[in-house]
Amino acid sequence: QVHVVESGGGLVQAGGSLRLSCVASVNLFSIYDMGWYRQAPGKQRELVAGISRTGSINYADSVKGRFTISRDNAKNTVYLQMNSLKPEDTAVYYCNARLVLGATMRDYWGQGTQVTVSS
């Protein structure tokens, strides 16, 4: 059974920083595409940042230059370093582990971690 567990959320003032971590209990973590998503109250879940199994990275326009995603395959962990936080970054942040094998795709989600940025 796959478990995805996020940590590192909390309350921070605008302009501050947080580092989120996500550990996925999967075999062959290195072949998973990993992503951070967020969902604010009343809004749809959106992709914040993704890092593929090959190391390709993409960011939402709203976080470019402020957030950095990275992964440590030896630790089955993906990180999201969030700097210059803004109140609009307030949301529940979810980690996603995606396994793509040919035409088959499987998504595994964590329970989410709350990030609150005060103005």
Side-chain angles (χ1 to χ4, degrees):
Q1 188 172 0
V2 175
H3 290 95
V4 178
V5 180
E6 306 98 336
S7 61
L11 173 64
V12 64
Q13 288 188 332
S17 298
L18 283 174
R19 187 194 197 202
L20 304 184
S21 299
C22 167
V23 179
S25 62
V26 296
N27 293 323
L28 300 176
F29 176 81
S30 62
I31 69 171
Y32 283 74
D33 297 324
M34 301 299 296
W36 286 99
Y37 291 72
R38 67 185 179 188
Q39 187 167 19
K43 295 187 177 181
Q44 289 189 332
R45 190 173 296 190
E46 63 175 356
L47 175 67
V48 176
I51 182 166
S52 75
R53 54 189 169 183
T54 63
S56 297
I57 291 174
N58 62 293
Y59 296 101
D61 287 344
S62 59
V63 306
K64 283 181 180 176
R66 301 188 297 122
F67 290 12
T68 302
I69 190 171
S70 61
R71 65 190 295 165
D72 185 339
N73 290 336
K75 296 182 179 180
N76 280 29
T77 302
V78 62
Y79 304 98
L80 185 67
Q81 178 66 43
M82 306 186 294
N83 299 328
S84 302
L85 282 161
K86 304 176 181 180
E88 51 263 45
D89 294 317
T90 295
V92 178
Y93 284 70
Y94 297 91
C95 179
N96 170 262
R98 173 169 291 175
L99 179 62
V100 179
L101 292 174
T104 301
M105 184 174 71
R106 293 183 180 176
D107 279 317
Y108 301 97
W109 293 92
Q111 80 289 346
T113 185
Q114 177 71 46
V115 171
T116 303
V117 184
S118 63
S119 57

